[in-house]
Amino acid sequence: MLHLRLNVPADLTDEVVRTLEATVGTAHLAVVPGASRNPAGDLVLCDVAREAGDELLGSLRALGLDRSGAIAVENIDLSLSKRAEKAEAEAPGEGVDAVLWEQLADATHEESTLTVTYVAFLTIATMLAACGVMLDNAILIVGAMAVGPEFGPLAGISTALVQRAPGLVWRSLTALVVGFAAAMLLTAGFGWLLDQLGLFDRAMLEADRPNTAFIWKPDWMSFVVAFLAGVAGTLSLTSAKSGALIGVAISVTTVPAAANAAMAFSYKEYAQTWGSSGQLLANLGGIVLAGVLTLLTQKSLLASVRRRRGPVR
């Protein structure tokens, strides 16, 4: 279930309440007249089944409530109510399969913004991965993959392509390209410093490295793994099961590939540089393609459910 808190101008309250009452899947409607001070008006509270949430939000935005008032949405972890159970049973589809496009767009917009924090996390992850590839340490590679924040911009690109939002596409691409460029440049400098300190040397990069050599030897399995991880990551975002993102993060070698490319370039090992770059592009492409196809499939399935069950009103 979702909890809606609406700040509604007084002249719009009746229409908003009628919309909520007519929506299958709503419960616990409450109106507190005059409680909203900014903007001035009424406070309207309501719970709605997740599977009816996206269409209801669309109806409220069609009334202009997002411009004249405010719409806040929260997830309800526990609701002990027969009315809530009835609302969820009446709403079309299943809550776990529902996609809140507004929530997804907002989440990916935030995660795909180029910020100092984003670049810092990506740089630290790439430096950790550099230590992993030079030491042939799989544990460090896994740790670096878990730290990397690159799935946010990738999800942003997928969402923007499906929603036809060019602004978000460019924002996400900027975060992805600039973030990786900065991380790889700083990692090359980090590698040079450790080389001067005697902690890294060329022999470490040229060694067999049985645990991490796959990072610069891409094949079709690299793309397959990235594709599957992209599907899982997208589902975790749309179903609010964020815990699955950790598994996604440690399934793909985006950050390790960037780290190996940076280290190989600094030592002029161009074969590894190109191989790692190919691995990086294969992973990025696989995740974006998987995200787009997953979102399109979900969109199609939800539309089919609504057609079978009729309108939510």
Side-chain angles (χ1 to χ4, degrees), residues 7-182:
N7 294 78
V8 187
D11 61 345
L12 196 60
T13 299
D14 290 342
E15 196 168 0
V16 167
V17 169
R18 282 196 297 269
T19 300
L20 295 174
E21 289 178 332
T23 300
V24 176
T26 59
H28 313 142
L29 175 62
V31 180
V32 187
S36 179
R37 296 297 182 90
N38 183 20
D42 305 323
L43 180 65
V44 179
L45 306 173
C46 178
D47 295 340
V48 60
R50 182 180 175 86
E51 52 269 41
D54 187 63
E55 194 165 347
L56 176 56
L57 290 176
S59 298
L60 294 174
R61 293 196 66 179
L63 295 175
L65 185 57
D66 57 322
R67 298 185 298 274
S68 60
I71 304 171
V73 182
E74 300 174 342
N75 287 308
I76 299 176
D77 294 327
L78 177 63
S79 180
L80 303 178
S81 166
K82 288 294 183 181
R83 291 181 181 274
E85 293 177 4
K86 183 174 181 292
E88 289 186 314
E90 291 176 345
E94 298 294 333
V96 70
D97 296 328
V99 179
L100 293 179
W101 292 101
E102 296 288 347
Q103 185 182 57
L104 180 62
D106 183 70
T108 52
H109 182 278
E110 180 180 350
E111 293 295 326
S112 60
T113 301
L114 183 63
T115 62
V116 173
T117 300
Y118 167 79
V119 174
F121 268 112
L122 189 55
T123 300
I124 292 170
T126 309
M127 289 179 177
L128 283 171
C131 294
V133 297
M134 295 298 285
L135 298 174
D136 194 34
N137 189 314
I139 295 176
L140 288 176
I141 294 295
V142 172
M145 289 191 287
V147 172
E150 72 281 4
F151 188 80
L154 294 171
I157 293 172
S158 300
T159 302
L161 290 175
V162 172
Q163 294 294 84
R164 299 179 182 179
L168 182 57
V169 171
W170 288 115
R171 176 189 291 268
S172 302
L173 276 175
T174 299
L176 198 65
V177 174
V178 175
F180 267 112

Side-chain angles (χ1 to χ4, degrees), residues 128-249:
L128 283 171
C131 294
V133 297
M134 295 298 285
L135 298 174
D136 194 34
N137 189 314
I139 295 176
L140 288 176
I141 294 295
V142 172
M145 289 191 287
V147 172
E150 72 281 4
F151 188 80
L154 294 171
I157 293 172
S158 300
T159 302
L161 290 175
V162 172
Q163 294 294 84
R164 299 179 182 179
L168 182 57
V169 171
W170 288 115
R171 176 189 291 268
S172 302
L173 276 175
T174 299
L176 198 65
V177 174
V178 175
F180 267 112
M184 293 170 73
L185 180 63
L186 292 171
T187 298
F190 170 75
W192 176 86
L193 176 61
L194 292 193
D195 182 85
Q196 297 302 305
L197 295 174
L199 298 177
F200 283 176
D201 59 58
R202 177 183 292 273
M204 298 170 73
L205 191 70
E206 295 175 342
D208 290 338
R209 293 187 291 155
N211 293 321
T212 57
F214 69 94
I215 292 171
W216 60 278
K217 297 177 180 178
D219 53 26
W220 278 105
M221 280 306 300
S222 301
F223 182 83
V224 170
V225 170
F227 185 88
L228 294 175
V231 172
T234 303
L235 289 174
S236 73
L237 287 178
T238 58
S239 64
K241 294 184 179 297
S242 59
L245 282 176
I246 299 299
V248 172

